[in-house]
C-alpha cells in the first residue's frame, strides 16, 4: 500500500476495541482511512455546502433545469468503459442489509446480483457496520457460515450472485471513528474498509469491487466519488477502472445531470438505477417551501404519474446511449403465506411492475425478498432473452424540465395521513433498535419509506393541505393524529411490548420534525444521535 503520509493525524474510536475492531481496523486499514479522510473530507464539505446553496436558491424562487454549461457533454458521442463479464446480466437484483444470514441467503437466492446495503436498509449501529464488514469479507473469501439459534446451518452454494455494496451517502458521518477528533465520512468509512479488505480476493476470483452510490445530487458529487476511486486504486496498486459503480438516481437534482454523472464516472461506471422511493422524497423535499407543491397520498404517487414516467424514459435513454445498464426499481412486496388470495394479488402487482420496466427498456430490476425472484425473472426472461437491452433500438424520447417537474394529481385522505404516521413510526422504532429492513403490512420497508411518510406530514401540515373530506390540515391537526395512531399500535402489540419499545422516542422525533419551521433534511440524521 502506498498512501500519503498521515503525519500528525490521529485515529481514535468512541467505542471499546474488541476482537471485531481488531480484525477490521488493522493498522494498515486505519492508515488507509486516514489518507482518504485527509485527501477528501474538505471536498465533501464543499459539496454539502453546494447542496445548501442550491436549496437556498430554490427557496429564493429558482427552479431546476438542465445545466447549460454541460450541454457539450450531453450532446457529444461517448461511451462508458466496457461492462465486466459478471455484470453483463443483471436482470434480477436482490437487496438487503449486511447481516450474516441475509448475506448468505441473498447470495444463494438465484438472483443475478445481491446489493449488500450499509445505507437505507441498515440501521447504522456500530455493531451492524463493523460486523457487516467482517461478513462481507467472509462472503468474498467463501468462508461465511451461520448457525441459527435452532441449530440450522447456512453456507454458500457453489454458484452465487455477483456482490455489490452500497455505502452510506455523502451527508452522513461514522460517529464512532474520529480522524483528528472529527467523525469520518460514512461514505469513506464504508467504501474504504470494504475496498481495502476485499479488492485482492475479488480480483483473484475474477471479479472486482462493485458499488451502488446513493443520494448524489449532481455530477460534481460523482466527480468526487471518481477521484476517491482513482486514489484508492493507486494506493493499493490495482489497475485504474477496477472499481465499478452504479449510481442511484434518487434525487430530483440528479435527474437533470444523468449524462454528466455517467461522464464523470465513465471509467468506473456500471450504469444508473431508478431509486424511485427516495426520488419521490427528494421531489417533496427540494420544493418543500412551496405551498403549490403538495403531493397526494403516497399510495397514489405511482410510476405511471407523468413526472416518474418521464424520469424513467430519460434514464433508460441516457444509459443506453452511453453503453451501460439502466436498472429498474424495487418491488417491496413479500410473500403472504397466510392468505393465498392476498398473495396472488401481491404477485400480480409485481408482475405488472416488472412488465412495465422491461417493456420500457430496463436491463434489470430489484426485489426485496427471495420469494419474488422467480416472478421478476420470468417477466424479464420472456421479454429480454439477451443479457441486457442496451443495444435494442428504441424511439428517441424528448424529456423536458417541465416533464420532470410536473406535479402529480390526487387526493389527501385521513387514511393516507394515518398510514404515513403508522408506517413511519413502525419503521423508525425498528431502526432505533438496530433493524433497518422491516416487514410492514406485507411490504419490506427501508428508510426511504419513513422519509416519504414524514416529508408528507410536514408538507401537509405547513401548507394547510385540503383533505378529500374538505378539512384543512395544520401542524396541530397532524400532531394530534400521532397519539391516536400510537394508541392503535400499543393495543396491537400489548402494554409490555410497548414499554420495551422505542415507540415513544419515534413518536417524539416525528412530532419534532413535523413542528420544525423549516423542513428537516434527513430523518436518519436526527435519529442517528439515538443509536449506539
Amino acid at each position: 500500500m502506498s498512501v500519503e503520509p498521515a503525519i500528525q493525524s490521529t485515529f481514535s474510536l468512541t467505542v471499546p476495541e474488541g476482537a471485531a475492531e481488531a480484525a477490521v481496523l488493522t493498522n494498515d486499514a486505519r492508515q488507509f482511512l486516514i489518507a482518504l479522510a485527509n485527501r477528501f473530507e474538505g471536498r465533501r464539505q464543499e459539496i454539502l455546502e453546494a447542496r445548501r446553496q442550491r436549496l437556498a436558491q430554490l427557496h429564493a424562487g429558482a427552479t431546476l433545469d438542465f445545466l447549460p454549461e454541460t450541454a457539450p457533454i450531453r450532446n457529444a458521442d461517448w461511451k462508458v468503459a466496457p461492462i465486466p463479464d459478471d455484470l453483463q446480466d443483471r436482470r434480477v437484483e436482490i437487496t438487503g442489509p449486511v447481516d450474516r444470514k441475509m448475506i448468505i441467503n441473498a447470495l444463494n437466492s438465484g438472483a443475478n446480483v445481491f446489493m449488500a446495503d450499509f445505507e437505507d436498509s441498515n440501521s447504522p449501529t456500530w455493531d451492524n457496520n463493523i460486523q457487516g464488514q467482517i461478513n462481507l469479507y467472509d462472503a468474498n473469501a467463501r468462508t461465511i457460515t451461520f448457525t441459527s439459534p435452532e441449530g440450522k446451518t447456512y453456507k454458500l452454494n457453489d454458484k452465487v450472485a455477483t456482490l455489490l455494496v452500497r455505502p452510506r451517502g455523502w451527508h452522513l458521518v461514522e460517529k464512532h471513528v474520529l480522524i483528528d477528533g472529527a467523525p469520518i465520512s460514512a461514505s469513506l468509512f464504508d467504501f474504504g474498509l470494504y475496498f481495502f479488505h476485499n479488492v485482492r480476493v475479488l480480483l483473484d476470483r475474477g471479479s472486482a469491487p462493485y458499488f451502488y452510490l446513493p443520494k448524489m445530487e449532481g455530477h460534481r458529487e460523482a466527480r468526487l466519488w471518481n477521484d476517491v476511486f482513482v486514489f484508492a486504486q493507486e494506493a493499493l496498486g490495482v489497475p485504474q477502472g477496477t472499481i465499478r459503480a452504479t449510481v442511484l438516481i434518487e434525487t430530483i437534482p440528479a435527474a437533470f445531470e444523468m449524462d454528466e454523472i455517467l461522464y464523470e464516472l465513465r471509467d468506473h461506471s456500471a450504469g444508473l438505477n431508478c431509486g424511485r422511493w427516495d426520488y419521490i422524497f427528494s421531489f417533496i423535499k427540494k420544493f418543500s417551501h412551496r405551498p403549490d407543491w403538495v403531493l397526494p397520498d403516497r399510495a397514489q404517487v405511482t410510476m405511471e404519474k407523468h413526472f416518474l414516467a418521464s424520469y424513467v424514459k430519460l434514464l433508460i435513454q441516457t444509459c443506453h446511449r452511453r453503453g451501460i445498464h439502466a436498472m429498474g426499481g424495487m418491488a417491496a412486496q413479500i410473500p403472504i403465506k397466510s392468505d393465498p388470495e392476498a398473495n396472488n394479488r401481491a404477485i400480480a402487482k409485481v408482475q405488472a411492475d416488472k412488465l412495465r420496466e422491461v417493456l420500457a427498456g430496463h436491463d434489470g430490476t430489484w426485489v426485496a425478498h427471495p420469494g419474488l425472484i422467480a416472478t421478476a425473472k420470468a417477466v424479464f426472461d420472456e421479454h429480454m432473452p439477451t443479457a441486457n437491452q442496451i443495444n435494442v433500438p428504441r424511439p428517441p424520447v424528448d424529456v423536458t424540465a417541465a416533464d420532470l417537474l410536473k406535479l402529480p394529481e390526487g387526493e389527501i385522505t385521513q387514511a393516507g395521513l394515518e398510514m404515513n404516521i403508522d408506517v413511519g413510526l413502525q419503521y423508525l422504532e425498528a431502526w432505533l433498535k438496530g433493524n433497518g429492513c422491516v416487514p410492514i403490512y406485507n411490504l419490506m420497508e427501508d428508510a426511504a419509506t419513513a422519509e416519504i411518510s414524514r416529508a408528507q406530514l410536514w408538507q401537509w401540515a405547513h401548507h394547510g393541505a385540503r383533505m378529500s373530506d374538505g378539512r384543512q390540515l395544520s401542524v396541530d391537526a397532524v400532531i394530534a393524529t400521532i397519539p391516536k395512531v400510537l394508541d392503535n399500535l400499543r393495543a396491537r402489540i400489548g402494554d409490555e411490548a410497548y414499554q420495551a419499545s422505542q415507540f415513544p422516542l419515534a413518536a417524539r422525533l416525528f412530532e419534532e420534525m413535523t413542528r420544525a419551521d423549516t423542513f428537516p433534511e434527513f430523518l436518519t440524521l436526527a435519529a442517528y444521535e439515538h443509536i449506539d
Side-chain angles (χ1 to χ4, degrees):
M1 183 181 72
S2 174
V3 299
E4 294 176 341
I7 298 171
Q8 298 182 359
S9 287
T10 61
F11 183 106
S12 59
L13 298 178
T14 64
V15 293
E17 296 192 39
E21 287 76 15
V24 174
L25 297 171
T26 62
N27 184 63
D28 283 347
R30 294 180 186 217
Q31 293 304 310
F32 186 60
L33 291 178
I34 289 171
L36 288 172
N38 286 346
R39 173 67 75 93
F40 297 109
E41 177 60 21
R43 287 181 57 191
R44 184 181 80 92
Q45 293 298 333
E46 289 173 3
I47 66 168
L48 296 180
E49 178 57 28
R51 289 185 184 182
R52 290 187 285 267
Q53 291 178 6
R54 172 147 53 182
L55 187 60
Q57 291 167 356
L58 293 174
H59 284 190
T63 189
L64 294 171
D65 205 341
F66 298 96
L67 302 177
E69 63 268 27
T70 55
I73 292 174
R74 293 194 299 276
N75 295 332
D77 289 326
W78 50 267
K79 303 283 188 182
V80 303
I83 303 165
D85 289 344
D86 57 349
L87 284 179
Q88 288 281 347
D89 190 335
R90 302 172 62 179
R91 67 190 59 225
V92 182
E93 301 189 345
I94 189 169
T95 74
V98 289
D99 70 85
R100 205 164 180 87
K101 180 181 174 182
M102 174 71 203
I103 289 173
I104 298 171
N105 285 341
L107 289 172
N108 287 343
S109 65
N112 301 77
V113 168
F114 167 47
M115 186 199 78
D117 192 14
F118 284 101
E119 201 228 4
D120 270 7
S121 63
N122 175 57
S123 174
T125 66
W126 176 248
D127 188 63
N128 284 350
N129 290 339
I130 207 74
Q131 290 295 333
Q133 294 285 348
I134 293 172
N135 297 340
L136 291 175
Y137 177 81
D138 289 348
N140 285 324
R142 300 293 191 265
T143 60
I144 189 170
T145 60
F146 175 78
T147 302
S148 72
E150 299 77 26
K152 184 177 180 180
T153 299
Y154 298 78
K155 62 181 182 179
L156 291 180
N157 298 335
D158 292 335
K159 183 179 180 181
V160 298
T162 299
L163 179 64
L164 277 74
V165 173
R166 180 162 66 170
R168 286 168 284 176
W170 283 127
H171 61 290
L172 296 170
V173 299
E174 175 49 68
K175 66 182 180 181
H176 303 94
V177 173
L178 308 180
I179 307 295
D180 294 331
I184 190 173
S185 157
S187 303
L188 297 179
F189 179 82
D190 297 341
F191 160 79
L193 285 178
Y194 180 75
F195 180 75
F196 181 86
H197 288 297
N198 292 275
V199 60
R200 292 297 177 190
V201 67
L202 285 165
L203 290 175
D204 288 345
R205 289 191 173 278
S207 187
Y210 301 142
F211 296 92
Y212 259 104
L213 303 179
K215 303 289 189 293
M216 275 197 277
E217 295 195 3
H219 71 283
R220 292 178 180 85
E221 300 186 17
R223 183 183 302 163
L224 176 55
W225 268 119
N226 194 73
D227 290 348
V228 169
F229 296 162
V230 169
F231 175 81
Q233 290 165 147
E234 181 180 353
L236 270 62
V238 298
Q240 293 298 326
T242 295
I243 295 170
R244 295 303 172 93
T246 306
V247 173
L248 290 132
I249 302 298
E250 54 186 356
T251 71
I252 183 68
F256 290 89
E257 301 183 36
M258 294 188 203
D259 266 313
E260 294 90 330
I261 288 169
L262 287 177
Y263 184 79
E264 295 292 346
L265 286 161
R266 60 194 180 278
D267 294 330
H268 300 101
S269 179
L272 305 177
N273 174 289
C274 285
R276 57 197 187 188
W277 306 123
D278 270 300
Y279 189 78
I280 297 169
F281 165 55
S282 176
F283 192 82
I284 298 171
K285 175 171 64 173
K286 291 302 178 184
F287 296 98
S288 61
H289 60 288
R290 286 178 49 172
D292 62 337
W293 200 268
V294 176
L295 272 66
D297 283 0
R298 176 164 53 92
Q300 298 177 37
V301 187
T302 61
M303 294 304 294
E304 289 75 24
K305 297 296 184 182
H306 186 81
F307 82 108
L308 291 173
S310 300
Y311 143 77
V312 167
K313 292 175 184 177
L314 181 59
L315 185 142
I316 292 169
Q317 178 172 271
T318 302
C319 288
H320 289 180
R321 184 183 176 200
R322 306 310 179 185
I324 200 63
H325 293 79
M327 301 302 297
M330 172 66 78
Q333 288 82 2
I334 58 179
I336 310 170
K337 296 179 180 180
S338 61
D339 189 337
E341 289 188 9
N343 187 66
N344 289 338
R345 289 193 297 271
I347 294 298
K349 287 182 179 180
V350 174
Q351 289 172 326
D353 183 52
K354 301 315 166 192
L355 181 62
R356 174 192 59 78
E357 289 184 326
V358 72
L359 293 181
H362 280 297
D363 302 291
T365 190
W366 276 16
V367 298
H369 192 282
L372 296 179
I373 291 172
T375 299
K377 189 174 186 295
V379 175
F380 270 79
D381 284 351
E382 180 179 355
H383 298 279
M384 191 180 79
T386 52
N388 53 65
Q389 304 191 75
I390 294 170
N391 296 314
V392 175
R394 294 185 184 278
V397 299
D398 182 19
V399 175
T400 67
D403 291 320
L404 294 174
L405 297 174
K406 184 175 175 57
L407 200 69
E409 297 178 349
E411 294 182 329
I412 299 169
T413 67
Q414 182 68 26
L417 171 65
E418 293 183 10
M419 182 60 74
N420 276 342
I421 297 171
D422 184 330
V423 173
L425 289 179
Q426 286 197 63
Y427 179 81
L428 182 55
E429 192 273 339
W431 191 95
L432 290 165
K433 292 193 300 186
N435 181 12
C437 188
V438 188
I440 303 173
Y441 301 129
N442 301 314
L443 296 173
M444 192 65 75
E445 306 288 15
D446 68 7
T449 301
E451 292 285 31
I452 297 173
S453 297
R454 65 94 184 176
Q456 289 204 303
L457 296 179
W458 190 96
Q459 185 184 56
W460 295 346
H462 286 265
H463 295 313
R466 186 73 62 179
M467 301 181 73
S468 59
D469 60 9
R471 288 179 295 142
Q472 187 173 17
L473 286 172
S474 65
V475 173
D476 288 342
V478 171
I479 295 298
T481 311
I482 295 177
K484 174 186 175 182
V485 174
L486 207 57
D487 286 344
N488 291 338
L489 290 170
R490 183 170 188 161
R492 190 185 311 163
I493 67 173
D495 285 342
E496 184 176 351
Y498 183 86
Q499 293 297 331
S501 77
Q502 292 282 6
F503 277 116
L505 175 56
R508 176 164 67 82
L509 289 172
F510 255 56
E511 179 174 342
E512 289 174 354
M513 300 192 95
T514 302
R515 287 195 187 280
D517 291 336
T518 57
F519 183 80
E521 188 176 16
F522 289 103
L523 171 64
T524 47
L525 279 175
Y528 189 45
E529 300 175 9
H530 299 278
I531 62 173
D532 297 326

